[in-house]
Amino acid sequence: MKRIIVIDDQWAMDSPLLRYALKASKSADTEIIGIMPVAASESTQLNKQRLDSAAEQLARDGVRFSSYVVGTEPEEFIGKMKGLMPASLVLVGDSVFDGLIRNGIILKKELSAPVTTARALDSTPERAKKGINMGVFMAYAIGSLIMYGVLFPKIVTLNEKLFMSMTVTGAAVTLAVVVVHAWVWGNTVHILPKLFRLEK
């Protein structure tokens, strides 16, 4: 049975971390292990109640779940985490991740498991979010057509008179044409799969 370890201080059922863990646990025989990190001054009982509440809701969904309240002292925390290995994935709440780093705990170095945060799970590149800009695509497509329809049919003449002239001007023009063609055609073919919905 696989394990996903979720380290969070809020344990809200609608958090990106828990949604992701639930989705992953339903696709395979996976147990979710909940960790609630607490400083020495915090109430362990209150934190345990939050975990118990999450456990009840997860049990209703048929998800295997066990939980621990763990102190944030580096030795104690890392010791507990290593005791729970091996795990398929470790998911960490953003505020918890920042707090662990402040305490000198760097999970990625200490554990033999992939570690990610809610911030990383939610980060979609801005370019992907915007979708296709048809105006930009048309400009690239027209540029490609001009190159293939006008420039390339005259390539023999251009080679003799310019590209292979063995002059500084010929070298500069050759370099410029290669760079512009690669840029225009590369951007055209980058957009095409999205246009035909072959890529999200």
Side-chain angles (χ1 to χ4, degrees):
M1 182 173 56
K2 296 178 181 176
R3 287 176 167 180
I4 295 174
I5 298 176
V6 180
I7 308 169
D8 200 12
D9 55 356
Q10 299 301 317
W11 280 93
M13 293 305 291
D14 60 345
S15 72
L17 277 184
L18 222 44
R19 284 200 310 269
Y20 188 86
L22 278 168
K23 187 176 177 183
S25 70
K26 286 177 181 176
S27 63
D29 186 23
T30 305
E31 176 189 14
I32 296 176
I33 298 176
I35 299 288
M36 172 82 75
V38 295
S41 59
E42 290 182 37
S43 166
T44 303
Q45 186 58 37
L46 180 61
N47 291 317
K48 187 65 179 153
Q49 285 171 1
R50 282 190 203 165
L51 286 170
D52 290 343
S53 174
E56 286 173 18
Q57 293 181 60
L58 291 169
R60 284 196 290 269
D61 289 340
V63 177
R64 288 188 184 93
F65 181 74
S66 56
S67 62
Y68 305 90
V69 176
V70 183
T72 53
E73 288 299 314
E75 209 170 294
E76 180 186 349
F77 193 84
I78 289 299
K80 184 63 179 178
M81 291 300 298
K82 285 184 175 178
L84 293 170
M85 291 292 118
S88 305
L89 181 63
V90 179
L91 301 172
V92 190
D94 295 330
S95 60
V96 172
F97 189 74
D98 296 339
L100 293 177
I101 289 174
R102 281 195 299 275
N103 281 3
I105 301 170
I106 304 172
L107 291 174
K108 290 181 183 182
K109 287 185 179 178
E110 299 283 356
L111 303 179
S112 55
V115 178
T116 191
T117 64
R119 206 178 289 130
L121 289 173
D122 195 39
S123 63
T124 308
E126 285 302 313
R127 202 168 166 184
K129 285 182 183 174
K130 289 177 186 172
I132 300 169
N133 183 326
M134 289 307 291
V136 171
F137 172 67
M138 291 306 294
Y140 286 135
I142 289 166
S144 296
L145 287 172
I146 289 170
M147 285 187 195
Y148 283 108
V150 177
L151 183 68
F152 284 3
K154 300 182 185 289
I155 199 72
V156 173
T157 306
L158 288 169
N159 273 340
E160 289 173 0
K161 295 188 175 177
L162 190 60
F163 297 151
M164 303 296 180
S165 64
M166 305 298 276
T167 63
V168 174
T169 306
V173 171
T174 302
L175 181 63
V177 167
V178 167
V179 169
V180 169
H181 174 69
W183 180 65
V184 170
W185 181 238
N187 279 292
T188 305
V189 297
H190 176 75
I191 294 171
L192 279 172
K194 293 180 182 178
L195 186 65
F196 294 108
R197 298 187 179 182
L198 298 172
E199 177 188 311
K200 288 184 180 179

